[in-house]
């Protein structure tokens, strides 16, 4: 999705959220984002897989507290299924691999990282990959390509960086498929972090698309209930957006909270995942790809 289209979607989601009680019409929302009702309907439905009217009917963004309460039992069950049991979790099929202590000290020495900019449902993003999988995903609205690349260089200071959109394009296609694939294969993600950070990122993988957790939930899940602030720092240090779903963490009050790539984008991402899950449920396809990822 082009950045201009994403910007309109973001404006629409925020407008619908702010005016949910008023039940704005299609004409109202379309006028707000500067499109005709016909073109806005097409754009929104293509993005969400559901109509703007249906979005209002299943609207959950302004009731995050209720969402937390409703999904808590599911979350507790998910966390109880053994965080040490590997990284292939939920429908995401993400395999998380952490650098060993020895590799950590090498700071990426001998590692070649290819990177490229690609469109996504949430605007342009920089994707970085190496022979062991995806090692970076940064959204570029609010962060330039130069800044995103500099952040990756700081993380992997001795690695070699090569711009290669052609090489990263197949990865982008798997992360953001146009249509659900017939067969899903795991997406390998390589992370560089402390043992504590890796624990937190593994816990994040237990939060399924359409679900949310609090920082307290994550701290409890890793057996460190008093380390809530440290958990928050680890969540903020995640450099693989969406695949390691730090956007699914809310404050315990239900407030959306900060997000490295913008709180508005976080709100939109949560809405998209909720809408996709609802659309899949309405289709009666329990095996459908709830997150849009493969």
């Amino acid at each position: 999705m082009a950045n201009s289209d994403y910007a309109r979607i973001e404006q629409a989601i925020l407008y619908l959220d702010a005016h949910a009680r008023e039940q704005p019409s299609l004409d109202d929302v379309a006028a707000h984002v500067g499109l005709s009702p016909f073109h806005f309907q097409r754009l929104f439905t293509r993005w969400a897989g559901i109509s703007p009217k249906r979005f209002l009917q299943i609207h959950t963004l302004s009731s995050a507290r209720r969402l937390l309460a409703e999904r808590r039992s599911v979350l507790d069950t998910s966390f109880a299924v053994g965080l040490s049991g590997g990284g292939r979790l939920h429908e995401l099929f993400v395999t998380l691999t952490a650098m060993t202590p020895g590799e950590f000290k090498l700071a990426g020495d001998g590692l070649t990282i290819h990177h490229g900019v690609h469109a996504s449902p949430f605007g342009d993003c920089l994707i970085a990959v190496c022979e062991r999988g995806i090692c970076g995903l940064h959204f570029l609205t609010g962060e330039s390509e130069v800044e995103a690349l500099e952040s990756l260089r700081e993380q992997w200071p001795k690695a070699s960086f090569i711009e290669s959109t052609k090489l990263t394009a197949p990865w982008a296609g798997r992360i953001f498929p146009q249509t659900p694939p017939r067969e899903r294969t795991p997406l390998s993600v390589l992370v560089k972090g402390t043992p504590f950070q890796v624990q937190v990122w593994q816990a994040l993988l237990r939060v399924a698309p359409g679900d949310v957790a609090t920082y307290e939930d994550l701290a409890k899940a890793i057996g460190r209930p008093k380390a809530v602030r440290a958990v928050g720092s680890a969540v903020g240090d995640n450099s693989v957006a969406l695949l390691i779903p730090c956007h699914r963490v809310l404050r315990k009050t239900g407030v959306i909270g900060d997000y490295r790539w913008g709180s508005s984008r976080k709100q939109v991402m949560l809405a998209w995942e909720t809408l996709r899950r609802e659309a899949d449920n309405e289709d009666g396809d329990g095996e459908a790809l709830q997150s849009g990822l493969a």
Side-chain angles (χ1 to χ4, degrees), residues 68-262:
L68 275 173
E70 289 176 351
R71 305 306 297 174
R72 183 55 49 83
S73 61
V74 175
L75 192 64
D76 288 345
T77 300
S78 180
F79 282 146
V81 181
L83 290 174
S84 62
R88 196 170 298 180
L89 307 168
H90 286 300
E91 297 299 326
L92 286 178
F93 267 58
V94 171
T95 300
L96 186 66
T97 303
M99 302 286 278
T100 66
E103 291 171 328
F104 190 102
K105 293 179 180 179
L106 291 176
D109 188 23
L111 195 67
T112 298
I113 297 175
H114 296 84
H115 58 90
V117 174
H118 301 275
S120 85
F122 316 110
D124 288 348
C125 63
L126 176 74
I127 296 175
V129 302
C130 64
E131 62 181 4
R132 297 170 66 181
I134 300 163
C135 55
L137 198 164
H138 289 236
F139 292 112
L140 298 184
T141 305
E143 182 180 31
S144 69
E145 181 179 357
V146 172
E147 291 171 329
L149 191 56
E150 182 58 31
S151 177
L152 287 171
R153 290 185 186 278
E154 290 177 0
Q155 188 178 10
W156 312 92
K158 296 184 179 180
S160 299
F161 285 81
I162 301 174
E163 183 175 3
S164 179
T165 302
K166 182 177 180 180
L167 193 147
T168 54
W171 289 93
R174 292 178 60 196
I175 299 169
F176 306 108
Q178 295 298 311
T179 57
R182 293 183 179 180
E183 294 184 6
R184 291 168 292 168
T185 54
L187 275 167
S188 299
V189 173
L190 178 68
V191 295
K192 176 175 175 281
T194 66
F196 180 85
Q197 288 175 320
V198 173
Q199 270 192 306
V200 173
W201 298 336
Q202 287 175 330
L204 282 170
L205 292 177
R206 289 281 175 184
V207 186
D211 289 345
V212 290
T214 65
Y215 297 101
E216 287 79 6
D217 290 331
L218 295 176
K220 180 181 176 182
I222 65 172
R224 302 282 297 277
K226 295 183 178 180
V228 176
R229 182 166 295 184
V231 165
S233 296
V235 170
D237 287 336
N238 171 39
S239 63
V240 186
L242 189 66
L243 298 180
I244 299 177
C246 54
H247 64 284
R248 296 179 194 149
V249 184
L250 306 181
R251 296 175 185 172
K252 63 181 178 181
T253 58
V255 173
I256 293 291
D258 297 331
Y259 184 54
R260 180 172 180 174
W261 295 282

Side-chain angles (χ1 to χ4, degrees), residues 10-117:
E10 182 177 289
Q11 290 174 27
I13 292 290
L14 297 180
Y15 181 83
L16 288 168
D17 186 38
H19 298 83
R21 292 185 178 180
E22 303 163 23
Q23 292 289 300
S25 67
L26 177 65
D27 290 356
D28 291 335
V29 186
H32 181 73
V33 301
L35 291 175
S36 70
F38 173 77
H39 285 96
F40 173 68
Q41 173 94 1
R42 288 185 59 184
L43 174 65
F44 191 94
T45 303
R46 175 164 54 87
W47 176 80
I50 202 167
S51 70
K53 181 178 180 180
R54 184 61 182 141
F55 168 79
L56 279 174
Q57 292 173 341
I58 63 173
H59 179 69
T60 58
L61 292 180
S62 61
S63 55
R65 289 184 184 179
R66 179 168 60 83
L67 182 61
L68 275 173
E70 289 176 351
R71 305 306 297 174
R72 183 55 49 83
S73 61
V74 175
L75 192 64
D76 288 345
T77 300
S78 180
F79 282 146
V81 181
L83 290 174
S84 62
R88 196 170 298 180
L89 307 168
H90 286 300
E91 297 299 326
L92 286 178
F93 267 58
V94 171
T95 300
L96 186 66
T97 303
M99 302 286 278
T100 66
E103 291 171 328
F104 190 102
K105 293 179 180 179
L106 291 176
D109 188 23
L111 195 67
T112 298
I113 297 175
H114 296 84
H115 58 90
V117 174

